Amino acid sequence: MTNKPHSHAQWSSRIAFMLAAVGSSVGLGNIWKFPYMTGESGGGAFVLVYLVCILLIGLPILMSEWLLGRLGQKNPISTMNRIAGRLKRSRAWVLIGVGGILAAWLILSFYSVIGGWALAYIRYSATATFTGLDGASVGTLFSDLLASPGTLLAWHSLFMVLTIAIVAGGVAGGLERASKILMPALVVLLAVLVGYAATTGSFAEGFDYLFRPDFTRLTGDVILAAMGHAFFTLSLGMGIMMAYGSYLSDDVNIGRTAMTVVILDTVIALAAGMAIFPIVFANGMDPASGPGLIFQTLPLAFGHMSGGVIFGTLFFVLLVFAAWTSAISLLEPIVEWLEEKTPLNRLQSALVAGAATWLLGIATVLSFNDWAAFMPFGMTIFDLLDYVTSKFMLPLTGLATIVFVGWFMGRDEVRAQLNMSGLAFAWWRFSARFVAPLGVAIVFVFGLLQ
Ligand code: PHE
């Protein structure tokens, strides 16, 4: 099949596509969420399940989303509509696209609030607030921030404005170019932090915590959390990767590219863990302290290393950048959908989608202070949003995606898209039909029954 002309642009190169996919997948999920979830779930057992889920479930689903997008050449809803229509399958498959857009809205609403924390921390580090702080005062700094709805709201608003600005303008060439420098810079800085962690004297303990699984910690809930995070960190189950695949040219090898994205994403998460846990143990902190973990550990490192003000500022700038490229990918499908389904133009769509997300974000802002005691289903609003999206919506949409590709599409069509050798394809198809769907289903049932 050659590419037909369509309304979508094409990526300028394979590298540009990779950067966008990596930009979406590498974000707060890797540096903020992965370490604190590992800490809450007790370490190595969570990491092991997470790695297995990434490989056996995440990778084949990522490839499925890309191949669907490349075949459909449209936004996720129209893509599913088009492919299901051509194959004479039920139109109910468009629910994959609908579920994705809803999940994107819910996720971005709290993602932006955390992006706001990172913005606040740029300011703290640039003004040398961390210098000489001990564990207790770093904790106070963080809890004071959370206790102030006005401050959180201001940073959340700034983060949303930054996101809307890029999406309204179409993905600017500038951002693509900036990613080429900033993403590698983030990796370098993480390496510096891992280097610092090695000087704390607790490196081995941190390493052990991450990589030695304690199977007694392996409850259904931990397994469900690890799988949910595999979806979250790879930006799966929301049609985002499908939308990116729609801009993909036919000569790009989906399998190899997916493998590269998965490896980069995983390495960055593990590096964040190796930077953070030694600091946790060296300072007698609690690894299970939750979403504040990196905001309470890294400032200690920056406050004590030489050049900490510069490294700290740079680190939080890069963290914001990583969060920003992910946030853009979360807003994009909502905007694309509004633009095509309503009379609004791109700028108006971006403003409406951004405003709706900003508004919902206020609930997350308040869940850390004024509404902290309001706990529907026993969770704060922030926890509830995270729970519903990561543990339900993403896995279910992802399951539908891979079942569609594995069971409802022709073998030859899928094979032509993936362009794999016979043996590799046989393995892929087996995992798309059995391993990944059964994996999601089992984890799901097992997690819920606990
Ligand atoms: N993958 C991003 C991260 O790890 C978050 C994200 C989730 C982005 C879902 C888009 C879609 O931070």
Short mmCIF file of all heavy atoms in Angstrom, two decimals, residues 25-26 58 149 170 175 179-180 216 290 301 328 341 345 392-393 432:
data_model
loop_
_atom_site.label_atom_id
_atom_site.label_comp_id
_atom_site.label_asym_id
_atom_site.label_seq_id
_atom_site.Cartn_x
_atom_site.Cartn_y
_atom_site.Cartn_z
N SER A 25 5.66 9.57 25.50
CA SER A 25 5.75 8.51 26.51
C SER A 25 6.63 8.90 27.69
O SER A 25 6.29 8.60 28.83
CB SER A 25 6.24 7.21 25.85
OG SER A 25 7.54 7.37 25.37
N VAL A 26 7.74 9.59 27.44
CA VAL A 26 8.59 9.98 28.57
C VAL A 26 8.04 11.24 29.20
O VAL A 26 7.94 12.27 28.54
CB VAL A 26 10.04 10.21 28.11
CG1 VAL A 26 10.87 10.75 29.26
CG2 VAL A 26 10.63 8.93 27.59
N GLY A 58 2.51 -4.21 26.80
CA GLY A 58 2.69 -2.86 26.26
C GLY A 58 3.22 -2.84 24.84
O GLY A 58 2.67 -2.16 23.97
N PRO A 149 -3.98 26.30 48.07
CA PRO A 149 -4.72 26.13 46.82
C PRO A 149 -4.41 27.23 45.80
O PRO A 149 -4.31 26.97 44.60
CB PRO A 149 -6.20 26.20 47.24
CG PRO A 149 -6.24 26.39 48.70
CD PRO A 149 -4.85 26.43 49.24
N GLY A 170 -0.53 24.23 16.41
CA GLY A 170 -0.10 23.04 15.68
C GLY A 170 1.27 22.71 16.24
O GLY A 170 1.95 23.60 16.75
N LEU A 175 9.34 23.08 18.70
CA LEU A 175 9.27 22.08 19.75
C LEU A 175 9.99 20.81 19.33
O LEU A 175 10.71 20.20 20.11
CB LEU A 175 7.81 21.76 20.05
CG LEU A 175 7.64 21.06 21.38
CD1 LEU A 175 7.75 22.05 22.52
CD2 LEU A 175 6.34 20.32 21.44
N SER A 179 13.17 19.36 21.26
CA SER A 179 13.20 18.00 21.83
C SER A 179 14.52 17.31 21.55
O SER A 179 15.00 16.53 22.37
CB SER A 179 12.10 17.15 21.23
OG SER A 179 10.86 17.76 21.40
N LYS A 180 15.08 17.60 20.38
CA LYS A 180 16.32 16.92 20.01
C LYS A 180 17.44 17.24 20.98
O LYS A 180 18.39 16.48 21.11
CB LYS A 180 16.74 17.33 18.59
CG LYS A 180 15.94 16.63 17.54
CD LYS A 180 16.53 16.86 16.16
CE LYS A 180 15.47 16.55 15.12
NZ LYS A 180 15.70 17.09 13.82
N THR A 216 6.45 -11.61 48.63
CA THR A 216 5.33 -11.52 49.57
C THR A 216 4.56 -10.22 49.39
O THR A 216 3.45 -10.06 49.87
CB THR A 216 5.85 -11.58 51.03
OG1 THR A 216 6.72 -10.46 51.22
CG2 THR A 216 6.59 -12.86 51.30
N GLY A 290 4.48 8.40 48.83
CA GLY A 290 3.47 8.75 47.85
C GLY A 290 3.91 9.79 46.83
O GLY A 290 5.11 9.96 46.59
N ALA A 301 19.28 16.17 47.40
CA ALA A 301 20.50 15.98 46.61
C ALA A 301 21.00 17.32 46.10
O ALA A 301 22.18 17.65 46.24
CB ALA A 301 20.21 15.04 45.44
N ILE A 328 1.01 17.88 25.81
CA ILE A 328 0.58 18.24 24.46
C ILE A 328 -0.09 17.05 23.79
O ILE A 328 -1.13 17.17 23.16
CB ILE A 328 1.80 18.70 23.65
CG1 ILE A 328 2.29 20.04 24.17
CG2 ILE A 328 1.50 18.77 22.17
CD1 ILE A 328 3.68 20.38 23.74
N LYS A 341 -15.50 17.85 14.79
CA LYS A 341 -16.91 17.57 15.05
C LYS A 341 -17.73 18.82 15.39
O LYS A 341 -18.94 18.72 15.52
CB LYS A 341 -17.04 16.58 16.23
CG LYS A 341 -16.46 15.22 15.94
CD LYS A 341 -17.30 14.46 14.93
CE LYS A 341 -16.55 13.21 14.51
NZ LYS A 341 -17.05 12.58 13.32
N ASN A 345 -12.78 26.46 15.26
CA ASN A 345 -11.50 26.28 14.56
C ASN A 345 -10.45 25.78 15.55
O ASN A 345 -10.75 25.53 16.72
CB ASN A 345 -11.05 27.58 13.87
CG ASN A 345 -10.75 28.69 14.88
OD1 ASN A 345 -10.41 28.42 16.03
ND2 ASN A 345 -10.88 29.93 14.46
N PHE A 392 -8.50 1.21 35.03
CA PHE A 392 -9.66 0.75 34.27
C PHE A 392 -9.63 1.16 32.81
O PHE A 392 -9.59 0.33 31.92
CB PHE A 392 -10.96 1.27 34.89
CG PHE A 392 -11.34 0.54 36.11
CD1 PHE A 392 -10.87 0.96 37.34
CD2 PHE A 392 -12.14 -0.58 36.05
CE1 PHE A 392 -11.19 0.26 38.48
CE2 PHE A 392 -12.46 -1.28 37.18
CZ PHE A 392 -11.99 -0.86 38.40
N MET A 393 -9.65 2.49 32.60
CA MET A 393 -9.90 2.95 31.24
C MET A 393 -8.77 2.54 30.28
O MET A 393 -9.03 1.99 29.21
CB MET A 393 -10.10 4.45 31.24
CG MET A 393 -11.28 4.85 32.10
SD MET A 393 -11.60 6.61 32.11
CE MET A 393 -12.36 6.81 30.52
N ALA A 432 -0.34 -11.26 20.36
CA ALA A 432 -1.46 -10.34 20.18
C ALA A 432 -2.81 -11.04 20.40
O ALA A 432 -3.77 -10.43 20.85
CB ALA A 432 -1.42 -9.71 18.80
#
